[in-house]
Amino acid sequence: KTMTDQPVTTSANKKKILFIDDDKFLLDMYVLKFSKAGYEVKTADSTDVGLKMLRDGYMPDVLLSDIVMPGMDGLELVGTIRKERLIPNAVVIMLTNQGSSDDIARAQKFNVDGYIVKATTIPSEVLAEVEKIYKSRKV
């Protein structure tokens, strides 16, 4: 019996997701939620750490970033990612408490694929929204 008879369950089949947020509690919560849903989850607790991961070659299928963080904010991060073409095929979603129309308009300038307001969304809803945005982008 060869190894090829085994069902393939490699991490290559898993969607890779990167969360960038300075709130460790939230990161832990999302890691749990998305891991259980079959994602390969990585986190960065600052835009600097997230940017370094991407520049070092990490290619997530989905990037979720908060906006308000120390140093470079999440939208500046997205601007840098776009400029450097780091993850041209990734779905980019802002996950933030900034729900004002100004923030949303600013995010749209960076061609983000989605915008989720944390304060009004529980983790299972975030997961459902991410799935919906991902599917609509990948059709």
Side-chain angles (χ1 to χ4, degrees), residues 11-82:
S11 62
N13 299 338
K14 286 186 171 190
K15 283 201 283 281
K16 293 192 287 235
I17 193 162
L18 174 60
F19 281 94
I20 303 175
D21 198 315
D22 58 341
D23 184 330
K24 289 294 283 173
F25 174 76
L26 270 180
L27 286 178
D28 291 345
M29 208 165 55
Y30 290 126
V31 166
L32 199 65
K33 193 76 190 161
F34 279 78
S35 297
K36 279 188 176 162
Y39 283 82
E40 180 187 308
V41 187
K42 290 197 184 217
T43 63
D45 60 7
S46 73
T47 49
D48 290 345
V49 171
L51 193 56
K52 183 178 182 338
M53 289 168 74
L54 298 173
R55 282 178 173 154
D56 287 348
Y58 181 63
M59 296 293 276
D61 298 298
V62 182
L63 170 77
L64 280 106
S65 178
D66 189 5
I67 293 179
V68 180
M69 288 182 280
M72 180 193 300
D73 79 15
L75 289 173
E76 292 172 274
L77 171 72
V78 172
T80 302
I81 287 168
R82 296 286 193 228

Side-chain angles (χ1 to χ4, degrees), residues 2-14 38:
T2 63
M3 290 302 283
T4 52
D5 295 336
Q6 299 303 315
V8 181
T9 52
T10 64
S11 62
N13 299 338
K14 286 186 171 190

